[in-house]
């Protein structure tokens, strides 16, 4: 009788061990499945964020000196593509239809503003002098001042006033010629 009870206990222990082993295997399978789902969710979220970034933002490297002293050749800018609104003093990307080039300029005037550049180099927006400190501003040869900006028109200039092709050279900019607004300077070469 004692052998039979001992055998019974051993088979109970063996049965319990098998149940415990199966439970542990099920738990391990669930962990692996959860980990795989987490990895797939992370990958999907990463792809969505990268796609969103690419559709809304771009990185631009500054070329030339027309934005000195604010921006220098090699500086890297994070640009918001086609924002809802542009305001005075925004640093923007300009793409004229006739020219295969993108310029980085500063908005001086927005729709409804009146821009005046005097012979002595003062820049006035709506009769108020802009205290910019960007150097001598020549009026340009092609424009007749004052310029009243119509709907969807902007006046842009480079910060290096003496060495910049801008609205004084190629006229006012239409809204559809503005391709983005700089929101962050993140890579400055020294």
């Amino acid at each position: 009788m004692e052998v039979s009870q001992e055998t019974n206990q051993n088979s109970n222990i063996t049965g319990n061990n098998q149940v415990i082993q199966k439970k542990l295997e099920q738990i391990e399978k669930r962990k692996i499945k959860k980990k795989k789902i987490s990895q797939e969710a992370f990958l999907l979220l990463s792809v969505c964020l990268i796609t969103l970034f690419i559709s809304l933002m771009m990185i631009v490297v500054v070329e030339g000196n027309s934005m000195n002293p604010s921006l220098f050749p090699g500086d890297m800018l994070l640009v918001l593509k086609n924002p809802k609104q542009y305001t005075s003093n925004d640093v923007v990307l300009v793409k004229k239809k006739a020219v295969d080039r993108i310029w980085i300029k500063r908005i001086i005037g927005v729709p409804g503003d009146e821009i005046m550049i005097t012979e002595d180099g003062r820049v006035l927006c709506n009769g108020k002098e802009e205290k910019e400190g960007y150097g001598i501003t020549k009026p340009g040869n092609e424009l007749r001042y004052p310029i009243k900006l119509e709907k969807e028109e902007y006046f842009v200039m480079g910060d290096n006033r003496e060495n910049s092709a801008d609205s004084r050279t190629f006229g006012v900019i239409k809204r559809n010629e503005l391709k983005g607004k700089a929101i962050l300077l993140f890579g400055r070469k020294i």
Side-chain angles (χ1 to χ4, degrees), residues 157-175:
M157 294 190 345
D159 290 352
N160 184 354
R161 299 290 195 245
E162 294 181 63
N163 185 23
S164 176
D166 49 38
S167 286
R168 296 171 294 165
T169 309
F170 47 70
V172 297
I173 300 299
K174 300 290 185 186
R175 172 69 165 86

Side-chain angles (χ1 to χ4, degrees), residues 80-87 90 92-97 107 110-111 150-156 172-181:
L80 177 62
K81 293 179 185 177
N82 299 312
K84 289 183 180 181
Q85 183 177 354
Y86 291 100
T87 59
D90 283 347
V92 296
L93 300 183
V94 176
K95 171 72 172 89
K96 294 292 283 179
K97 291 176 187 175
I107 292 179
V110 297
E150 302 296 327
K151 183 178 180 182
E152 306 281 313
E153 290 184 338
Y154 296 83
F155 195 90
V156 298
V172 297
I173 300 299
K174 300 290 185 186
R175 172 69 165 86
N176 65 354
E177 295 173 321
L178 295 173
K179 300 303 178 189
K181 171 169 59 172

Side-chain angles (χ1 to χ4, degrees), residues 39-60:
Q39 289 172 339
E40 289 172 354
F42 177 76
L43 180 63
L44 180 63
L45 180 61
S46 297
V47 168
C48 289
L49 288 174
I50 290 169
T51 302
L52 182 64
F53 178 82
I54 290 171
S55 67
L56 295 176
M57 306 279 184
M58 71 176 120
I59 296 172
V60 175

